[in-house]
Amino acid sequence: MAAYDKADLERRMAGSVEALKSDLGGLRTGRASISLLDPVTVEVYGSHMPLNTIATVSVPEPRMISVQVWDKSNVGPADKAIRSAGLGLNPIVDGTTLRLPIPDLTEDRRKELAKLAGKYAEGARIAARNVRRDGMDSLKVDEKKGVISEDERKRLETEVQKLTDATIADIDAAATAKEKEILGK
């Protein structure tokens, strides 16, 4: 059986683009949004969990996010996770509720968010290149097993590279659009 699976590679590369778009959706451009806290993971019960699995997240006002933690023992870890997520949010603890006032976007904060968007994009590019590497490795395995010829391997490697190039172009386009949105250009 052949190790190379083009459909799997396409699915995984599309997944890296979708993950990037999800991460970029969490970067704010001035208004409070529940998706702002999507990248936040909290270390509770011995594992890392998304914030929305230990709390109810809501937006009671346009410039305020409210996080109602269900278990009082998780308030501290949730507060720490939000502060260390690099989102520039400083929770105000009120019992089991964390209030997150959304500060105005200053020029420095916009630049920080643009850098964070670039960091997310680089992570997505790395993921796409890892998928490419896996595809190339499986082609080499297929060639060694005699499933495909050397010419076929080279042709399929070119296809994998074209798919990678297209995926990275999609990643770059999404990152550039978000950076322009953040910087207000």
Side-chain angles (χ1 to χ4, degrees):
M1 181 170 161
Y4 174 72
D5 184 1
K6 182 179 179 182
D8 182 54
L9 291 178
E10 289 172 343
R11 180 190 56 78
R12 290 172 57 198
M13 289 217 186
S16 68
V17 174
E18 290 306 312
L20 171 67
K21 288 181 180 177
S22 173
D23 288 345
L24 291 177
L27 293 179
R28 67 185 173 84
T29 57
R31 289 195 47 185
S33 169
I34 292 173
S35 64
L36 202 65
L37 299 177
D38 284 350
V40 177
T41 57
V42 184
E43 187 173 351
V44 291
Y45 309 122
S47 65
H48 290 277
M49 301 176 149
L51 181 64
N52 62 4
T53 61
I54 66 157
T56 302
V57 181
S58 63
V59 180
E61 301 171 26
R63 302 194 54 84
M64 176 77 68
I65 299 175
S66 176
V67 179
Q68 180 68 42
V69 181
W70 301 323
D71 185 352
K72 188 171 181 142
S73 65
N74 293 336
V75 172
D79 178 42
K80 181 180 175 187
I82 292 168
R83 288 180 192 274
S84 63
L87 299 172
L89 300 174
N90 294 312
I92 299 167
V93 180
D94 182 18
T96 59
T97 302
L98 301 173
R99 292 189 196 351
L100 304 165
I102 306 297
D104 288 331
L105 282 179
T106 63
E107 188 63 29
D108 290 340
R109 184 66 187 138
R110 288 178 189 275
K111 288 178 182 175
E112 284 178 33
L113 288 173
K115 283 182 186 177
L116 190 57
K119 180 179 155 190
Y120 288 163
E122 186 55 33
R125 284 186 209 99
I126 290 169
R129 289 192 294 264
N130 286 340
V131 172
R132 176 188 60 194
R133 184 195 62 227
D134 292 347
M136 298 292 193
D137 290 348
S138 64
L139 287 171
K140 289 175 185 168
V141 167
D142 285 351
E143 182 186 11
K144 282 186 180 180
K145 288 181 179 178
V147 176
I148 60 173
S149 66
E150 182 181 352
D151 290 340
E152 181 71 5
R153 177 185 56 85
K154 287 182 180 181
R155 185 185 67 74
L156 290 172
E157 281 179 349
T158 303
E159 272 186 28
V160 171
Q161 185 59 48
K162 284 180 182 176
L163 177 61
T164 305
D165 293 343
T167 301
I168 289 178
D170 290 346
I171 290 168
D172 291 343
T176 302
K178 188 63 174 186
E179 285 175 6
K180 283 182 181 177
E181 180 184 338
I182 290 170
L183 296 173
K185 293 182 180 177

